Amino acid sequence: MRRVTQPQTGMFALGTAAHAYLEFDARPGADDDLVPAVARLREPRTTMGGVNLVAGFRPERWARAVPDDAPAATGFDRAIVGPTGVTMPATQHDALLWLSGSAYDVVFDAARAAITELAPLAGVAEETSSWAYHHDLDLTGFIDGTENPTLLEAPEVALVPEGTAGAGGTILLVQKWVHDAPAWEGLSVGEQEQVLGRTKSDSTELDDRRPDSHVASTDQERFGAIFRRNMPFGTVTDHGTMFVGFSADQARLVAMLESMAGITTGAPDALTRFTRAVTGAFYVVPSSDALRRWVVDDARLGEGEA
C-alpha cells in the first residue's frame, strides 16, 4: 500500500476554543534559517500541553527552501481593489504559527515559548487572539462555516493531491476583518438575512436572496470549495472575524476575494458595508512529512559532527 503524505493535523482539529495567530518577519540575515527553525519548533510540540501548532510560510520563502516540493502559490503582495473601492489589503509576512487549544492559558504559554525560541531569527509582525462565540456563531450572530466540507471531505478540498509538488500541504489565506457592530446591529433581522443570504436562526439559504449577498459573492459552486476555520477575535468595542481558509488551489481563494471586492460582477459583497479587511496574507502550510525532513536532516548532521 502506498504511503499517504501526512498533513499538519492541527488544521482539522475542530472544537478548540482558544486560538492565537502569530505572523513573523525574518530578521536581516536569517533567511536561510527561518524554515528549519520553525520546522524544529513544530515537530516535537505538535500537541504539547494540548495545543495544536500549525506552521506556514510565505510561498516564495518555502519555494526557495524546498524548490522540488513547493505548490504553485505566490504571496499576497498587492492589494485587491474593487471598482467601488472595496479593498482586500496585502500584509504579507514571512511565517505564520497558528496555535489552538481547549483554553487560552495553554495557548498563551505555548505562543510565548514559540516567540522566544524564534526571536533570534524573526520578530512578531502581527498577533491576534481568538475565541469561540456561542459554539459556532460569528460576531454577526449568524452560524459560521455552514458550507464547510465534513472532516471526511475536507482533505480532498484543502490538501494538495498526492503526486503533485507540495502533496499533503495546503494554501492558507488569513485575513482579519473588523466589524462595524453599531451599523450591523442597527439592521433588522430580515435586513441582516438579506445581506448574508441566509436565515439567522438555522442558516438556510434564502431563495430570494439579493445578488450581492455574501452567499452569492462567495458561492463555492462557482469558485471552488475551501475549508474554513474562521474565529471571532477582539474586545467588546473592537472586534471581528479572523478568516482562515485552506485550499489545494490558490486560484479559488483569489477568485473569492475578487468577487467580494466586486471585480467579478461590479457589485461588492453586501457584507463589506459592515465589515472591512485590515490584513491579508497567503501561506504555504507544508505537510508534516515535509517539515519532518528538516528535523531528520538536522539530527543526521548532528550525529555526523559528533
Side-chain angles (χ1 to χ4, degrees), residues 4-279:
V4 176
T5 309
Q6 296 301 308
Q8 296 188 47
T9 55
M11 60 186 286
F12 301 116
L14 302 182
T16 47
H19 299 249
Y21 308 90
L22 306 174
E23 295 179 79
F24 294 85
D25 283 337
R27 301 194 189 283
D31 287 353
D32 294 336
D33 300 319
L34 183 59
V35 169
V38 171
R40 290 192 298 269
L41 175 71
R42 183 200 176 279
E43 185 55 34
R45 303 182 182 181
T46 305
T47 57
M48 183 179 181
V51 174
N52 299 290
L53 178 56
V54 174
F57 303 93
R58 175 196 288 265
E60 294 83 358
R61 181 171 293 277
W62 179 252
R64 287 197 302 270
V66 190
D68 62 335
D69 195 29
T74 58
F76 202 148
D77 295 318
R78 180 179 298 179
I80 295 173
V81 182
T84 64
V86 172
T87 300
M88 306 295 170
T91 59
Q92 184 69 52
H93 299 292
D94 290 318
L96 166 85
L97 294 180
W98 166 34
L99 303 98
S100 63
S102 59
Y104 190 66
D105 53 357
V106 293
V107 171
F108 179 87
D109 288 342
R112 288 195 65 200
I115 291 170
T116 299
E117 194 156 341
L118 294 178
L121 302 174
V124 176
E126 184 75 33
E127 174 190 358
T128 306
S129 299
S130 292
W131 30 268
Y133 180 69
H134 295 287
H135 181 58
D136 59 359
L137 301 185
D138 68 19
L139 295 181
T140 66
F142 282 71
I143 298 170
D144 198 5
T146 302
E147 290 296 314
N148 245 2
T150 67
L151 280 180
L152 290 176
E153 300 165 332
E156 183 176 346
V157 167
L159 300 181
V160 177
E162 296 294 323
T164 306
T170 185
I171 311 302
L172 167 62
L173 169 62
V174 176
Q175 290 179 296
K176 180 187 290 188
W177 289 80
V178 175
H179 295 183
D180 183 348
W184 177 254
E185 291 164 359
L187 301 179
S188 68
V189 170
E191 290 170 328
Q192 291 179 353
E193 290 177 337
Q194 280 296 319
V195 170
L196 265 296
R198 293 184 178 278
T199 59
K200 194 169 187 176
S201 61
D202 59 6
S203 202
T204 300
E205 285 193 19
L206 299 175
D207 292 332
D208 61 344
R209 61 181 177 271
R210 50 194 285 182
D212 63 346
S213 69
H214 184 58
V215 166
S217 297
T218 60
D219 184 1
Q220 294 190 36
E221 292 185 4
R222 293 172 58 199
F223 304 118
I226 63 173
F227 178 59
R228 293 184 295 167
R229 292 293 309 276
N230 298 357
M231 291 294 293
F233 78 90
T235 66
V236 174
T237 58
D238 183 17
H239 54 255
T241 298
M242 282 297 292
F243 177 87
V244 180
F246 298 92
S247 176
D249 181 358
Q250 187 180 31
R252 302 174 196 169
L253 298 165
V254 173
M256 180 190 69
L257 293 179
E258 291 178 344
S259 175
M260 291 185 69
I263 293 173
T264 307
T265 64
D269 187 330
L271 190 57
T272 59
R273 292 165 47 207
F274 307 96
T275 183
R276 62 186 176 89
V278 295
T279 69

